[in-house]
Amino acid sequence: MQQESKKPLISSLLSVVLTLAGLVLVVAAALNWDASSWAERVWFVAFAMTFVIRVPYSARNRKNKIAESRSGAVEQWLLAAMFLAMMLLPMLHLAGRVFTFADYHLPDWAAAVGALLQLPYLWLFWRAHADLGRNWSPGLELREDHTLVTGGVYAHMRHPMYAAIWLGAIAQPLLIQNWIAGFLVIPAFAAMCLIRIPREEAMMKKRFGDAYDVYMAQSGAIIPSFHRHSRTL
Ligand code: SAH
């Protein structure tokens, strides 16, 4: 029998409550559009786009059975921290200006850099989902019939989705100029990457053995490698 994700009731309840709170905040932030700066509006539109990209893959992959899960407590906490720093806190601020005491001010060119970063962010986020296809999971999981993807954007780097999220994470404090609603995502995602990437690579290495070693030798982790790319995979 495959292993279904056995979430404890409390964590399922928490997910539902957080999702509902998130939805209410998105509506409240949209209603508070006039109070937002142009840079914050850019962030909001890009935020909506990430859902447009992700939801179809999420819905499609729900049917794919999980064969192995390593999403333990640490994973859940890391995902919760990201949810807070990348979604809930910025929405709370856009909806009610609650963290005004922690505002900082950057020149317009910095906000423009943040706005421009949304383009490679969304493009790479979309390509990573498209190339990973049915193998994608939000957590550390292997699907039944999981295949090792080494093509598309994965030919150059092993973690294009995390690279994309880095672009979004760097843009966020440039667009939302606030230590809590904007900047906090940087340490949150740094912690996530430091803890998750070695675990993910160990899981992939255990499952795919030598093929993953060859892939590691030919690809970058988060920074793409072009010169080492070979067609032998
Ligand atoms: N780290 C990758 C994938 C993030 S999604 C990225 O940043 O693009 C996380 C899930 O993707 C993992 O649980 C694993 O099951 C799967 N995965 C990661 N790399 C993969 C690869 N090269 N081929 C197939 N599945 C992969």
Side-chain angles (χ1 to χ4, degrees), residues 65-88:
K65 298 274 188 302
I66 293 164
E68 186 183 331
S69 173
R70 299 204 181 180
S71 298
V74 177
E75 268 286 308
Q76 301 291 337
W77 280 110
L78 290 171
L79 282 174
M82 279 304 286
F83 179 69
L84 213 65
M86 213 169 189
M87 301 183 194
L88 221 55

Side-chain angles (χ1 to χ4, degrees), residues 45-57 125-126:
V45 171
F47 175 87
M49 292 293 294
T50 60
F51 276 84
V52 172
I53 293 168
R54 177 159 277 188
V55 165
Y57 292 98
F125 193 68
W126 162 59

Side-chain angles (χ1 to χ4, degrees), residues 128 132 135-143 146-150 154 157-163 196-197 200 203-204 208 212 215:
L132 208 51
N135 300 299
W136 175 72
S137 302
L140 285 193
E141 282 144 5
L142 288 165
R143 303 273 170 181
H146 204 109
T147 54
L148 176 62
V149 175
T150 59
Y154 285 85
M157 50 186 153
R158 298 188 292 286
H159 305 291
M161 206 175 287
Y162 302 156
R196 187 193 258 206
I197 289 178
E200 184 172 322
M203 177 184 82
M204 298 300 285
F208 294 101
Y212 198 72
Y215 176 48

